[in-house]
Amino acid sequence: MTPASTWSTAQAMNPTAPRLQWEQLPTAVRAAVQERAGEVRRAETISAGLNTAFTARLHTDTGLVFAKGTHSARAAAQRREAFINPHAYPIAPRLLWEIDIAGWHVLGFEHLEGRPADLSPHSTDLPAVAALLAHLTELPPPPTGCRRIEDRWADAAEQIASDPALLAGDHLLHTDLNPNNIIITEHGARLVDWTWPTLGAPWIDTACTALWLIAEGHPPVTAETWAASNPTWTTATPQALDTFTAVNAALWTEIAANDPRPWKLRMRDAATTWAQYRARS
């Protein structure tokens, strides 16, 4: 059964701890930011997102900047995002500066005027999201620095006796296509939060997005029909799609078991629903 769409999965994604305010950052960190961005006249804390201790829209002498930061000891994901940014631009907003000082790692990006994508049925954002995914498949991958999808998902594939090599490829992938990471602007959709850059088959990010469509209320058949508008979808064999859905059902089942927040339970149900649909097809 398709998960009920009485509430948005993406809107339920909130950090487990309150975000720090600009004024709560160490003095040395705030000084380093202002050396690069100009004096901060006002800071608006952003609550969306999950993995950073500080996220804010900074109003500076040089304009708006989106800033995110976390403790340096836990900044591996942010460092990956900084590394991949030259390869992901212009789909990703441009990284303006990177700071590592006083135990804090902070990134400053060009500010995007926009809003998170709506992936629910009948959303008018879906064509822009499809165009984004088509553009994404054209990005040249970096020669080093990215894990491969068959390695990242090897444990889950082993649990279900599937071959992760069916997902292999040399295309740059984002893999976290939740609607909060897809920003709809007047110039089209952009993709933020590149903390898991990965190499794999070109259709995988479209499949990751299709999974979110199911979580937001689309039946699997509708999600697959939408995904088929991406030219790379034809390169996915039925066996590869079966592996993708089974692996994601295993991944989200484990994630929800370890942290049963409502949105993770919804993702588990969506992934399971899609895997079961493919098993019956």
Side-chain angles (χ1 to χ4, degrees), residues 164-186:
L166 291 168
L167 310 176
D170 293 313
H171 282 257
L172 178 61
L173 305 176
H174 183 282
T175 72
D176 186 9
L177 278 294
N178 80 72
N180 292 320
N181 287 341
I182 305 171
I183 305 301
I184 304 297
T185 77
E186 64 178 350

Side-chain angles (χ1 to χ4, degrees), residues 59-150:
H59 297 254
T60 78
D61 286 343
T62 59
L64 284 171
V65 175
F66 173 81
K68 60 191 294 188
T70 193
H71 296 285
S72 296
R74 297 194 290 272
Q78 279 196 177
R79 297 183 200 282
R80 288 192 295 266
E81 185 171 12
F83 158 78
I84 204 63
N85 186 260
H87 304 278
Y89 180 82
I91 287 178
R94 188 190 300 276
L95 178 65
L96 303 175
W97 40 260
E98 179 180 9
I99 292 168
D100 200 341
I101 190 172
W104 276 80
H105 184 265
V106 185
L107 302 178
F109 292 90
E110 66 171 321
H111 180 263
L112 297 180
E113 285 291 346
R115 56 173 175 77
D118 175 4
L119 300 185
S120 65
H122 312 300
S123 169
T124 58
D125 292 343
L126 296 179
V129 175
L132 169 73
L133 292 167
H135 190 183
L136 182 57
T137 63
E138 300 170 356
L139 292 181
T144 60
C146 292
R147 291 190 69 187
R148 291 192 169 274
I149 196 71
E150 63 268 29

Side-chain angles (χ1 to χ4, degrees), residues 1-3 121 126 206-207 209-215 217-229 233 241 245 269-281:
M1 179 179 295
T2 303
L126 296 179
T206 299
T209 310
L211 176 56
W212 274 94
L213 263 65
I214 296 169
H218 296 254
V221 63
T222 304
E224 288 194 7
T225 299
W226 175 85
S229 66
W233 195 251
L241 287 173
T245 56
D269 293 347
T272 301
T273 295
W274 194 7
Q276 292 173 343
Y277 165 79
R278 290 206 58 83
R280 294 192 301 266
S281 299

